[in-house]
Amino acid sequence: MAGLRVIGIDINDNTLEVCKQQGAEAVFNSRSDKNYIEDLQKLTGGGCHAVAVFSNADAAYASAPSTIRLGGTLMVIGLPHKPLQTSSMDLTLGRYRIKSESTSIPQRMGKAVEFTAKHGIQPEVEFRKLQDANEMLSDMRSGKATKRLAVVF
């Protein structure tokens, strides 16, 4: 997408490698790189304009505000296990704002599909056979899956 600088943050190096292959300008492993927030702040000149959290990990939401520049946006996409914790002071002072979007039901998928087509986004998909379904589920649960997985019948 023209004009966007994409930065990937994750705890899985394999996922971060896929992010780089798909065009991310930089990637940070938030588990092993204890200075990633400082490095991200330097790289972006003060933080990201928008941060989209796709993970359901509470830790991802806890660290996200420190990566957002003043007046930026936190986009909630993954559903965290616990209620989202945020500073009412940060929101009141306009440090950042929070938005959310869900494509959980078929009636809402059109918007996501339209956006994807408009911006030429091509997901990485790994196709597997039906007999590999249990292994697919295991890979997803363990965090080994780095692409979308699809079953070919």
Side-chain angles (χ1 to χ4, degrees):
M1 287 191 255
L4 297 180
R5 297 174 65 197
V6 176
I7 298 170
I9 302 172
D10 203 280
I11 60 171
N12 182 325
D13 287 331
N14 293 330
T15 299
L16 293 171
E17 182 56 36
V18 171
C19 290
K20 283 293 275 187
Q21 291 170 2
Q22 291 181 340
E25 178 179 334
V27 295
F28 297 98
N29 186 317
S30 58
R31 180 178 285 165
S32 63
D33 181 358
K34 300 306 176 197
N35 297 319
Y36 81 95
I37 292 174
E38 293 169 9
D39 293 342
L40 182 144
Q41 293 281 342
K42 287 177 192 171
L43 176 68
T44 59
C48 300
H49 291 280
V51 173
V53 180
F54 294 93
S55 173
N56 66 347
D58 297 319
Y61 282 100
S63 63
S66 58
T67 64
I68 304 170
R69 77 172 51 233
L70 184 63
T73 301
L74 169 61
M75 190 68 188
V76 176
I77 299 176
L79 301 174
H81 299 285
K82 298 177 186 171
L84 191 61
Q85 300 293 310
T86 188
S87 164
S88 57
M89 183 68 79
D90 285 347
L91 296 175
T92 303
L93 295 175
R95 181 168 158 355
Y96 61 91
R97 60 190 170 178
I98 299 175
K99 297 176 97 178
S100 183
E101 188 65 53
S102 172
T103 58
S104 60
I105 58 174
Q107 292 83 350
R108 299 186 81 177
M109 288 299 291
K111 187 176 178 182
V113 171
E114 181 181 311
F115 180 89
T116 301
K118 178 181 175 183
H119 296 286
I121 299 169
Q122 293 291 322
E124 296 236 355
V125 181
E126 182 179 331
F127 296 95
R128 298 197 190 171
K129 297 179 182 175
L130 182 58
Q131 58 264 33
D132 298 330
N134 286 334
E135 183 182 351
M136 283 175 56
L137 290 171
S138 176
D139 287 350
M140 287 188 287
R141 289 181 179 134
S142 68
K144 291 180 184 174
T146 58
K147 302 174 184 174
R148 295 287 180 206
L149 299 177
V151 175
V152 177
F153 292 92

